[in-house]
Amino acid sequence: MSDALLEIRDLNVEFHTPRGNVRPVRDVSLSIFPGQTLALVGESGCGKSVTALSILRLLPEPPARYPAGNIIYAGRDLLKTSEREMRKVRGGQIAMIFQEPMTSLNPVYTIGDQIAEAVILHQNLHGSAARKAAEEALHAVGIADPRRRLSDYPHQLSGGMRQRVMIAMALSCKPTLLIADEPTTALDVTIQAQILELLRKLQKDRGMSILLITHDLGVVAENADVVAVMYASRIVEYARVEDLFDRPQHPYTAALFRSIPKLGQPKDRLDTISGTVPNPANFPAGCKFHTRCPLTRKLAGEAGAETVEISNGGETFRVVARCVSEEPELREVLGGHWSRCHFTENAAGSITTPKLDAKRLTILATQEVPA
Amino acid sequence: MLNYVIRRLLLIFPTLIGITLVVFGTMSLSPGGVGANLLSEEGSMRPQEREARRKYLNQRFGLDKPFVVQYGRWLNNVLPIGWKYNDAGVSTGVGFKVPDLGRSFVRERPVVDMIAESLPATLLLNVLTIPFIYAIAITSGVYAAKNQGKWMDVGTGTAFLALWSIPSMWAGVMLIGFFASKDYVQIFPTGGLHSTESGTMQFLPAWGANGFSRGYLLDAVWHLTAPVLTMTYGGFAFMSKVMRASVLDNLSADFVRTARAKGVSDRVTLFRHVLRNSILPLITMASSLLPGLLGGSIIVERIFSINGMGRLGLTAIEQRDSEVVLSITLVASMLTLTSILIADFCYTIADPRVSYE
Amino acid sequence: MSSISLPPGLAGPIGSPAQPSGEAPPRLPREAPKFWLAIVLSQTVRRTGARIGLAWVAVVVFCAVFAPFLANSRPLLIKQNGAWSSPVIQSMNWADVALLLLTAIAITLFFLRRILSGRWLAISTLGSIFIVPIVCYHVFPEQDNARLGRFRQMQASGELQNVVWAPIRYSPEDHQRDSFDRNRPHPQKPSDANALGTERIGASVLSRMIHACRIALAVGFIAEGIAVVIGVIVGGLMGYFAGWVDLLGMRLVEIFSSIPSMYLLLTFVAFFGRDLYLIMVIIGITSWTGYAYFTRAEFLRLRKQDFVLAAVASGVPTWRVLFTHILPNGLTPVLVSLSFGVASAILVESTLSFLGLGPEDTASWGSLLNQAVAAGGGFYWWLATFPGIAIFLTVFSYNLIGEALRDTLDPRFQGRAR
């Protein structure tokens, strides 16, 4: 197994607010290997964006603090690197693109100027050499007539083209890792497909790794090699994409798959996960998912279970007592498959840090999702 | 771009007409109408004066004619294009002409000359204030935004609000009363734009046999300090708040996050990315700042005895010189309109998002 | 219907956390006031800036309402020939009575506010503001201000057995001729007799300042009231109907904002004279453009909203859509500018008075300031300092209130939008 390109170990991020401390990311560990796409999946508010922003230390540091954990890249801990060194990493070695291409580009400068800014910073080019590099970057992302486009302003481009420009800007300095925070959420479905295909192609050409943050399982299926599922600040499942889709171990992941409507399947009502994502300022005790978990409720109904009654969102029901009192650890329940639950297949798996140097074996043609 | 300029100028036309209508209407619809001057002064004029006045008013506006005719006559006189008349009152065709802004009853001079003499002083005051306002507003606004919530920000915010609330006439009177008088402290001159001996001064300051002599330039600066100070503080207090709000808005914008993710330093992000975007509202605000400046200069001119257009207008009101009053308001409106147009065009240049089509 | 949400603190916490049973669910907060304006006002009043501003405005209002009792050459009570009488009450003019009545009505309405519905409150407030002054004007005659010094003479000569004076013993119209000293001509410095000095004709500065509070308040509200009405109507029509109405309206706005208001005011005053009410109307006519601008933007935004489309689709007549559906939602920026607008109207009136063009014969802070610098170069510091401070404090107070309103209204909505 080769060395991981980026390794996050037990990352904890804390925000100091006037109303107290909030910890939106707890004990998150993941590893990205060269040429790999790792998808970080979760609902809004689960902590995935904060994790991503922490890698490049883009969170404003007076309210944000890192009480524990390391982010190891190129042999050093990014959490302990000076601001000046971080600036070299940002854009030059690790690049990031964001969700809103509409507002992510500065409206008063041409896109040529903005791409050139990155090139000038990291590659020591100036003037016409920088413009040439910007032109090549635009060409690489498939924009026609790049030289003319250099003097266009962002408001003259469509959403899809703006995202291509963002990608061009990010890749202009040949980073080894690209962090893509929901790059296609704000785009039309057809444009979405184009952008993702572009990213796949660029990744193949350059051997780049991608940390893809998304809440869309379809995107995960087509693009990811390894998947980490987050819920309420923690990683709850970590596996190869095929394993995750074939045999989801965590009740949350399973519930997510069940809620996707499938063609040809007769259904009166779509399955949902009852309840809402907990407020980071007010996480429940024990397992963070127990308030909405169908598995614990099912097990509570069986004989011999030690149960506890809780109320959530107006209804009261019984859950297994252990889920409320004890937070489960992330265990390797199957080979290369981690889950954070008391009741998965091999609940006695060893507690190890998830690490998977895997590439996708097959391309999943259909979203064949287990019942 | 040319398209836009032309379209904008065309749109100004109805506004121009409207302004002239409002200004003229104020006089024409007042009790007594265009002949009010004649009526009110009736007792104190000799018969031949009264007759001359009546003849003048009739020729210029047409006494006892309907409003439209009076307005039309006056407009024709005042515009630089129109029908030209010779002394006998016969039309000599349409063309360019020097606008005839009337004749002062008190001074017996063409109003155009009077305005031409006093306009430079007013323009000087106003034009000087603008760069000061913007310079102070931009620096303090950025500073306040960067230190948001801290003592410096809250303190300057309240201080500027208080500053903005100080009536400029009070500030001017206090400055003159306490800092320009023999009884208290004499930092500033007692008024005017130049010392009485300024005609004999050389331009630059020099050390001569008699010690330090100010020189024309420095003397003018010394005289201008208090008036300009009185005119700027309100403007920069207000603009500073606008700038602060704008910078705060832009500091949390997405493109700033992108810039930082590219590796741009905080300082460069602030000055290159944030500042450029934050200044835009300030240019828009110029349209509301400039009319206020012109009005404010009336007060300043009175307090500091500067012979500008505002002071001319005030004296004209006291002396019931209606032609002067009317024409001054017209000229002031044209000035404001011009400056608003200039501000609009500056904005179009600064913000590429404004479409030219 | 509206997109306005309750401010945090009034609604419960988002998403109840799960707790093991045994703990009671969180208690509901006490019922929030229903009227949106009431919420905004109650939130604003809690801010320090607003409190300071309101404190000074309260002082001004107090002086305005009780001016005849605070500064009067006529005593509050006298006992003459064994009979008590009150010269002050006998000589109150229509403005005095109207103000006292309005205050009484305002206090009554304030205490009844929980019982009466919002609509009744609005109707009674607006109704009394219009009806009371008109009625009083017709009922009470103007008072004669001759021989104001006679009560002082009577006291000196022993005609009166008992006298209860107002705190300041001079009316603003009292030129103190009985105490004229040729060696110390007016204006005089502050002294025992006149706490803030006298002005050029001999009237007490303090007395004039107290009575001038009325002008300040009247100008503020009447002028800006007119401006708001004009501005909201024009702006609303522009925003809702768009098209050529908008084009026309924008020309109107452009016209009035291109003419520097001070010059236009001067022109008006030059031709129409210096009547107080006329000046208030003209200030209103020159300052409506800001309100029109904001209202237009709000109406443009709101007319596309679903609740408006729903109302129109259900056949609600246009004027009703405008008044009851869109207008309450679009008033937010107007409210903020209103406070600043009142401040600016007071400033404008003071400036006019300062330039010698204010309402004639009426005491005003600006006209006192005008006398501070005499033609010959003399400087009467008490005429500069005290009226200036009064103008400054009043303008500053309204600006503080405006800022507090803006703080209450803006970040709230910005937070929700994101």
Side-chain angles (χ1 to χ4, degrees):
Chain A
M1 183 155 82
S2 55
D3 274 343
L5 183 67
L6 178 90
E7 201 172 319
I8 303 180
R9 281 193 220 134
D10 299 317
L11 176 68
N12 281 271
V13 182
E14 198 171 78
F15 284 107
H16 183 68
T17 72
R19 289 203 202 102
N21 290 337
V22 179
R23 213 179 262 225
V25 174
R26 292 167 200 242
D27 303 323
V28 164
S29 303
L30 46 94
S31 315
I32 308 177
F33 288 85
Q36 185 185 63
T37 301
L38 184 123
L40 193 50
V41 183
E43 291 173 85
S44 317
C46 69
K48 46 193 207 295
S49 284
V50 175
T51 310
L53 289 170
S54 305
I55 298 176
L56 282 181
R57 301 269 295 281
L58 285 176
L59 296 167
E61 249 145 75
R65 289 179 335 174
Y66 304 99
N70 312 90
I71 301 182
I72 312 289
Y73 176 80
R76 58 185 168 183
D77 185 359
L78 292 182
L79 291 179
K80 304 206 172 29
T81 318
S82 71
E83 174 67 13
R84 175 184 261 149
E85 288 298 311
M86 277 312 298
R87 286 207 291 269
K88 296 205 194 117
V89 174
R90 291 181 197 138
Q93 293 160 44
I94 303 178
M96 189 161 176
I97 60 176
F98 300 95
Q99 179 176 343
E100 290 281 356
M102 304 289 163
T103 47
S104 293
L105 290 170
N106 194 329
V108 299
Y109 290 110
T110 61
I111 61 175
D113 285 338
Q114 297 189 52
I115 302 180
E117 189 179 25
V119 170
I120 294 173
L121 268 174
H122 296 289
Q123 301 201 307
N124 233 330
L125 297 172
H126 297 282
S128 54
R131 286 189 82 74
K132 197 86 182 54
E135 196 184 322
E136 279 162 17
L138 282 181
H139 182 72
V141 296
I143 290 183
D145 201 0
R147 179 169 306 171
R148 220 167 50 91
R149 291 293 185 193
L150 284 181
S151 34
D152 277 352
Y153 287 95
H155 70 271
Q156 296 172 275
L157 306 173
S158 70
M161 292 201 53
R162 277 183 237 189
Q163 196 60 299
R164 285 180 195 260
V165 168
M166 289 284 292
I167 296 173
M169 201 159 64
L171 299 186
S172 61
C173 301
K174 321 246 185 304
T176 51
L177 170 65
L178 174 70
I179 306 176
D181 189 351
E182 310 230 30
T184 53
T185 310
L187 302 171
D188 290 337
V189 180
T190 43
I191 310 290
Q192 180 172 319
Q194 289 174 8
I195 298 289
L196 290 171
E197 191 181 311
L198 174 67
L199 282 176
R200 283 199 298 273
K201 170 176 167 306
L202 288 168
Q203 180 185 34
K204 206 156 72 86
D205 290 344
R206 300 177 185 217
M208 192 173 62
S209 306
I210 299 182
L211 174 62
L212 180 63
I213 299 170
T214 179
H215 60 261
D216 187 339
L217 289 170
V219 168
V220 172
E222 282 191 351
N223 295 279
D225 298 323
V226 175
V227 185
V229 181
M230 271 186 87
Y231 183 82
S233 78
R234 293 198 190 278
I235 300 218
V236 296
E237 192 158 356
Y238 196 103
R240 283 187 205 88
V241 61
E242 301 90 349
D243 293 339
L244 189 88
F245 276 73
D246 276 343
R247 281 199 310 275
Q249 293 300 307
H250 195 277
Y252 176 59
T253 323
L256 282 180
F257 283 130
R258 264 202 307 280
S259 65
I260 300 177
K262 292 178 283 290
L263 273 181
Q265 191 192 52
K267 212 106 172 153
D268 287 332
R269 287 195 107 172
L270 289 179
D271 282 334
T272 55
I273 312 178
S274 66
T276 51
V277 178
N279 190 332
N282 227 326
F283 279 143
C287 171
K288 304 281 175 277
F289 189 53
H290 78 252
T291 57
R292 309 165 73 190
C293 180
L295 182 61
T296 186
R297 274 190 241 196
K298 186 168 92 126
L299 292 175
E302 286 170 9
E306 211 182 296
T307 64
V308 146
E309 187 172 273
I310 60 165
S311 67
N312 183 28
E315 34 162 338
T316 44
F317 43 87
R318 300 204 79 91
V319 299
V320 178
R322 194 174 171 210
C323 294
V324 181
S325 58
E326 189 188 325
E327 174 140 32
E329 300 281 348
L330 190 65
R331 295 173 186 274
E332 190 168 359
V333 295
L334 298 170
H337 196 145
W338 285 259
S339 169
R340 192 190 288 270
C341 178
H342 293 303
F343 303 112
T344 49
E345 276 181 39
N346 183 6
S350 48
I351 302 172
T352 51
T353 310
K355 231 180 194 177
L356 271 183
D357 183 6
K359 299 276 190 324
R360 54 199 304 117
L361 304 172
T362 56
I363 302 200
L364 296 179
T366 56
Q367 323 286 310
E368 201 70 71
V369 180
Chain B
M1 180 67 171
L2 191 63
N3 233 351
Y4 178 77
V5 170
I6 293 179
R7 240 176 25 120
R8 192 78 176 86
L9 284 177
L10 279 180
L11 272 178
I12 285 300
F13 230 50
T15 315
L16 268 173
I17 303 290
I19 292 179
T20 51
L21 256 176
V22 169
V23 173
F24 183 76
T26 324
M27 177 168 92
S28 168
L29 299 173
S30 68
V34 294
N37 195 277
L38 200 56
L39 289 171
S40 64
E41 299 280 301
E42 202 148 351
S44 60
M45 287 195 287
R46 292 197 294 271
Q48 58 262 51
E49 280 178 0
R50 197 177 337 137
E51 182 53 32
R53 183 86 56 100
R54 203 191 66 80
K55 188 152 169 280
Y56 168 83
L57 283 176
N58 202 18
Q59 188 206 39
R60 192 155 166 80
F61 305 107
L63 295 171
D64 308 324
K65 292 275 193 341
F67 172 79
V68 183
V69 176
Q70 290 182 336
Y71 172 66
R73 279 243 185 101
W74 175 74
L75 194 61
N76 186 47
N77 275 313
V78 154
L79 286 177
I81 318 175
W83 281 265
K84 290 190 279 217
Y85 290 90
N86 62 16
D87 290 322
V90 178
S91 162
T92 55
V94 185
F96 285 100
K97 57 185 177 57
V98 177
D100 174 14
L101 291 176
R103 209 174 159 77
S104 161
F105 299 135
V106 176
R107 304 277 182 84
E108 306 269 315
R109 298 176 61 200
V111 176
V112 187
D113 294 342
M114 291 167 75
I115 293 184
E117 281 172 0
S118 53
L119 194 55
T122 307
L123 279 181
L124 180 69
L125 266 185
N126 282 291
V127 166
L128 270 183
T129 10
I130 296 175
F132 278 111
I133 290 181
Y134 274 92
I136 302 179
I138 292 178
T139 27
S140 59
V142 169
Y143 186 71
K146 269 185 57 176
N147 296 310
Q148 187 201 11
K150 292 196 224 154
W151 192 87
M152 275 313 265
D153 174 35
V154 177
T156 25
T158 323
F160 278 176
L161 191 65
L163 215 56
W164 184 32
S165 312
I166 298 179
S168 58
M169 54 194 169
W170 187 41
V173 164
M174 298 292 260
L175 274 177
I176 270 236
F178 287 113
F179 295 108
S181 84
K182 304 177 286 294
D183 302 328
Y184 297 95
V185 189
Q186 179 116 42
I187 307 181
F188 299 115
T190 45
L193 279 180
H194 306 288
S195 307
T196 39
E197 62 267 15
S198 64
T200 58
M201 286 181 179
Q202 71 267 45
F203 191 67
L204 293 171
W207 281 263
N210 307 332
F212 180 72
S213 76
R214 273 202 299 276
Y216 188 80
L217 184 64
L218 220 53
D219 182 62
V221 168
W222 185 50
H223 277 87
L224 278 172
T225 316
V228 170
L229 193 64
T230 316
M231 282 187 73
T232 41
Y233 76 83
F236 77 64
F238 176 71
M239 283 300 198
S240 174
K241 289 187 160 297
V242 174
M243 184 69 184
R244 173 187 177 273
S246 176
V247 172
L248 277 179
D249 264 348
N250 281 302
L251 274 178
S252 53
D254 286 344
F255 61 81
V256 169
R257 185 182 54 179
T258 310
R260 291 196 64 219
K262 270 196 298 195
V264 182
S265 71
D266 281 343
R267 214 170 139 267
V268 175
T269 318
L270 183 67
F271 286 112
R272 190 187 297 160
H273 289 266
V274 174
L275 208 62
R276 207 38 228 283
N277 280 282
S278 308
I279 295 190
L280 296 176
L282 255 66
I283 305 182
T284 324
M285 278 288 165
S287 313
S288 47
L289 185 70
L290 298 165
L293 279 184
L294 259 181
S297 65
I298 300 180
I299 304 166
V300 167
E301 284 169 24
R302 163 127 172 2
I303 298 178
F304 292 96
S305 314
I306 297 175
N307 286 320
M309 212 170 65
R311 196 150 188 244
L312 187 64
L314 277 180
T315 352
I317 293 181
E318 282 164 29
Q319 296 169 339
R320 304 180 155 286
D321 206 345
S322 57
E323 286 286 87
V324 178
V325 173
L326 205 58
S327 298
I328 283 188
T329 310
L330 193 64
V331 170
S333 310
M334 294 303 143
L335 275 177
T336 320
L337 198 57
T338 317
S339 51
I340 290 180
L341 274 178
I342 296 178
D344 263 352
F345 286 134
C346 285
Y347 188 83
T348 315
I349 298 175
D351 189 353
R353 281 170 292 188
V354 178
S355 61
Y356 295 165
E357 304 314 312
Chain C
M1 166 181 106
S2 74
S3 53
I4 297 166
S5 331
L6 291 176
L10 285 182
I14 307 165
S16 359
Q19 290 140 343
S21 62
E23 266 189 48
R27 303 182 51 208
L28 285 170
R30 66 172 179 79
E31 189 171 310
K34 294 189 192 61
F35 197 37
W36 161 82
L37 193 64
I39 302 176
V40 168
L41 290 178
S42 67
Q43 280 269 315
T44 315
V45 163
R46 282 193 220 144
R47 297 180 184 268
T48 355
R51 289 201 166 154
I52 299 177
L54 284 171
W56 173 254
V57 171
V59 169
V60 173
V61 170
F62 180 79
C63 288
V65 170
F66 295 107
F69 300 103
L70 290 171
N72 214 322
S73 293
R74 307 177 185 87
L76 295 172
L77 283 175
I78 54 169
K79 187 171 177 194
Q80 194 175 26
N81 304 326
W84 286 96
S85 64
S86 172
V88 165
I89 297 188
Q90 282 168 346
S91 64
M92 289 208 310
N93 67 13
W94 70 271
D96 303 328
V97 179
L99 278 175
L100 285 170
L101 270 181
L102 281 174
T103 315
I105 294 178
I107 296 179
T108 327
L109 285 178
F110 183 75
F111 282 118
L112 289 180
R113 75 185 184 280
R114 302 206 185 249
I115 308 180
L116 296 172
S117 77
R119 187 192 291 183
W120 274 112
L121 276 176
I123 293 181
S124 12
T125 326
L126 285 174
S128 43
I129 289 180
F130 283 111
I131 297 178
V132 168
I134 297 178
V135 168
C136 290
Y137 186 73
H138 288 284
V139 170
F140 290 92
E142 283 289 335
Q143 283 305 315
D144 151 43
N145 282 328
R147 303 190 305 119
L148 283 170
R150 67 180 184 277
F151 291 98
R152 290 193 289 273
Q153 284 171 347
M154 287 201 274
Q155 181 184 36
S157 64
E159 264 181 67
L160 308 170
Q161 289 95 29
N162 246 313
V163 189
V164 177
W165 287 99
I168 298 155
R169 300 183 184 187
Y170 300 100
S171 290
E173 305 91 0
D174 187 349
H175 298 162
Q176 300 183 45
R177 294 209 183 81
D178 44 331
S179 58
F180 180 67
D181 178 355
R182 201 177 322 163
N183 296 324
R184 290 174 65 238
H186 295 296
Q188 291 172 1
K189 285 206 313 250
S191 61
D192 291 330
N194 292 294
L196 295 185
T198 63
E199 46 88 69
R200 199 170 42 213
I201 318 182
S204 157
V205 170
L206 184 55
S207 173
R208 289 216 143 193
M209 278 178 59
I210 290 181
H211 282 257
C213 289
R214 292 186 170 181
I215 308 261
L217 284 182
V219 169
F221 287 113
I222 298 181
E224 282 313 287
I226 295 175
V228 165
V229 168
I230 301 178
V232 168
I233 292 180
V234 173
L237 291 174
M238 282 193 334
Y240 187 72
F241 291 109
W244 65 268
V245 176
D246 186 27
L247 219 59
L248 206 69
M250 273 311 269
R251 298 304 119 222
L252 214 62
V253 166
E254 213 172 43
I255 293 172
F256 276 94
S257 49
S258 300
I259 309 179
S261 53
M262 193 50 70
Y263 277 96
L264 190 59
L265 270 166
L266 291 182
T267 320
F268 265 111
V269 165
F271 291 116
F272 282 83
R274 290 163 55 178
D275 176 52
L276 174 65
Y277 299 103
L278 193 67
I279 287 179
M280 291 200 275
V281 167
I282 294 168
I283 295 180
I285 295 179
T286 45
S287 44
W288 60 268
T289 51
Y291 302 114
Y293 208 74
F294 290 129
T295 315
R296 168 183 178 270
E298 286 292 299
F299 271 59
L300 272 178
R301 184 178 64 88
L302 287 170
R303 73 186 174 121
K304 296 270 170 54
Q305 299 246 340
D306 287 339
F307 72 89
V308 172
L309 297 174
V312 173
S314 5
V316 178
T318 317
W319 69 268
R320 226 184 132 96
V321 171
L322 287 174
F323 263 105
T324 48
H325 286 81
I326 304 187
L327 191 61
N329 287 302
L331 279 181
T332 317
V334 169
L335 206 60
V336 173
S337 348
L338 186 60
S339 195
F340 292 119
V342 171
S344 122
I346 295 177
L347 254 182
V348 168
E349 187 278 323
S350 308
T351 313
L352 274 181
S353 305
F354 174 75
L355 293 172
L357 299 170
E360 290 165 326
D361 303 333
T362 331
S364 155
W365 294 328
S367 58
L368 286 170
L369 198 55
N370 186 18
Q371 300 177 20
V373 182
F379 179 61
Y380 307 111
W381 62 268
W382 59 98
L383 287 172
T385 320
F386 302 118
I389 291 181
I391 305 175
F392 164 67
L393 280 178
T394 313
V395 171
F396 190 41
S397 302
Y398 280 110
N399 282 334
L400 277 173
I401 296 174
E403 283 265 313
L405 269 173
R406 185 166 39 200
D407 284 341
T408 313
L409 289 168
D410 285 341
R412 185 94 53 226
F413 293 147
Q414 269 189 11
R416 293 268 181 264
R418 282 192 204 144

